[in-house]
Amino acid sequence: MKEVIHNLNPEKGVKIPTHIAFIMDGNGRWAKRKGQKRTFGHENGVETVRAMIEAAGSLGVKYVTLYAFSTENWKRPQEEVDMLMSLFVQSIKMELPNLMKNKVKLAAIGNLAALPEECLNELNEGIRETAQNTGLTLVLALSYSARWEITEMVRRIAQKVEVNKLDAASITNEDVVNHLDTSSIPDPDILIRTGGELRLSNFLLWQLAYTELFFSDKMWPDFRKEDLHKIILDYQSRERRYGKISEQVISH
Ligand code: FPP
C-alpha cells in the first residue's frame, strides 16, 4: 500500500487524474448472490460511494462523477425506483455533515425535473449547502443519459440560433461543450465500470472521447479503495496521445 501512495504522490510529478467517472454496476447481482433483494445491493453500494469519495479526495482528485440513475432506469419495477429515490434522499441527508467536513461540493447532471419533489429538494439543499466548499466536486448523474443530454444541448443551441444569439454556420466544438450539462466540468480522465459488463450504457458519450476506460469484474458493493489505487497506477503508465504520435506528447 505504501508503494501505491508514494507512486500517487502529485509532488513526484506523477499525474493524478483530475476527474474519475464511475458506472456503479452490479448492485442487484451482488444482492441476489447473497439471497437478498436487489435493493439490499443498492443500500450496500452507498458504502462504496463513501469509500470512493474519501479515497479520491485524499489523492487530490478534483471531480468524481457517479452514474446513479439513468433515464432508462425509470423502467425498472416501481418498487425499486421508489427505493432508489428514497435512498438518494436519505444518503444526501445523512452524508451532508461528512461532505461538509471533507469540503466536498455537490453537483448534479441529468433531467433533474423528472425527479420526485422530495428528491429534487434534498438534492438542491445539498448543492446549496456545499456550494462554497473547495475540495472535490461530487457530480451525481441522476435521470441522466448522454443522448438526453446531447438532445438538450441541440435544443439549447437551436433556441439561441433562433433569436440570433448564435450563428449556425460558426458553431464550434466549444459552443457544444458550453451547452452540455457538464459545461463547467472537465472531461473524465478515467472511467471505471464495475460489474463485468463492457459497455458505456449511454453515459457521457461526448465527454468520454479521450477518456481511459477501465472495467472491473467486481460488483459495485465489493469494489474497494485498493481496486481504485490499482486502476490509477495502471492509468499512470498509459500514454494519452489525443491523436498525436508518441514523440509529440509532452509528458507532464
Ligand atoms: C446499478 O446496479 C446501480 C444503480 C442503478 C444504482 C446505484 C445507486 C447507488 C449505489 C446508491 C448511490 C447513492 C448516492 C447518493 C449516489 P444494477 O442494479 O444495475 O446491478 P445489476 O447489473 O447487478 O442488476
Side-chain angles (χ1 to χ4, degrees):
M1 189 46 54
K2 231 177 183 162
E3 186 226 351
V4 174
I5 298 299
H6 172 75
N7 281 343
L8 295 175
N9 187 347
E11 303 305 327
K12 303 275 175 197
V14 182
K15 52 190 175 169
I16 288 293
T18 301
H19 183 177
I20 304 179
F22 290 96
I23 300 180
M24 312 184 283
D25 199 14
N27 290 343
R29 278 167 288 159
W30 181 87
K32 285 273 164 206
R33 282 176 197 173
K34 292 188 172 328
Q36 301 274 358
K37 285 168 79 172
R38 294 175 51 80
T39 48
F40 181 68
H42 299 315
E43 280 163 8
N44 280 273
V46 178
E47 299 296 324
T48 307
V49 169
R50 195 178 298 126
M52 289 308 113
I53 297 166
E54 277 174 20
S58 67
L59 290 172
V61 173
K62 298 279 183 259
Y63 296 85
V64 165
T65 298
L66 301 174
Y67 202 4
F69 195 86
S70 74
T71 51
E72 288 80 18
N73 286 155
W74 292 114
K75 295 179 203 141
R76 290 193 174 193
Q78 194 58 42
E79 187 198 357
E80 185 170 337
V81 171
D82 291 345
M83 182 273 171
L84 277 167
M85 292 301 142
S86 318
L87 189 63
F88 297 142
V89 172
Q90 220 184 74
S91 306
I92 296 169
K93 209 178 265 178
M94 293 264 293
E95 291 303 316
L96 202 54
N98 216 11
L99 297 181
M100 295 305 290
K101 195 182 91 196
N102 292 306
K103 300 189 169 56
V104 175
K105 183 174 171 170
L106 194 61
I109 56 172
N111 185 12
L112 306 180
L115 296 172
E117 199 182 341
E118 199 195 358
C119 186
L120 186 58
N121 288 344
E122 202 56 50
L123 180 66
N124 283 334
E125 177 70 13
I127 291 173
R128 223 181 358 255
E129 295 237 0
T130 61
Q132 305 306 322
N133 287 348
T134 52
L136 179 146
T137 299
L138 172 64
V139 184
L140 299 181
L142 286 166
S143 190
Y144 174 88
S145 81
R147 287 182 176 179
W148 171 84
E149 183 190 29
I150 289 168
T151 308
E152 278 302 301
M153 174 272 292
V154 171
R155 204 191 315 275
R156 288 167 194 159
I157 288 183
Q159 279 165 354
K160 289 200 179 163
V161 169
E162 216 171 19
V163 295
N164 295 320
K165 279 194 176 164
L166 262 181
D167 171 30
S170 33
I171 289 171
T172 60
N173 185 91
E174 212 187 340
D175 289 322
V176 170
V177 170
N178 288 338
H179 291 83
L180 291 168
D181 274 29
T182 53
S183 57
S184 60
I185 303 167
D187 291 342
D189 301 292
I190 295 180
L191 169 82
I192 302 173
R193 180 176 187 143
T194 59
E197 309 285 359
L198 305 178
R199 53 176 174 262
L200 296 177
S201 298
N202 214 349
F203 189 46
L204 300 175
L205 297 181
W206 170 280
Q207 297 85 343
L208 295 177
Y210 287 104
T211 301
E212 297 293 328
L213 309 180
F214 294 88
F215 298 92
S216 168
D217 285 333
K218 286 202 176 177
M219 301 295 128
W220 179 253
D222 283 336
F223 195 76
R224 297 281 175 271
K225 178 174 82 176
E226 291 74 15
D227 300 307
L228 177 68
H229 285 171
K230 275 191 203 132
I231 287 175
I232 296 179
L233 276 176
D234 187 345
Y235 162 81
Q236 290 178 333
S237 71
R238 292 189 189 185
E239 183 183 65
R240 302 178 80 192
R241 290 193 293 277
Y242 299 94
K244 296 180 183 173
I245 66 165
S246 195
E247 287 75 10
Q248 294 175 299
V249 180
I250 306 149
S251 66
H252 50 85

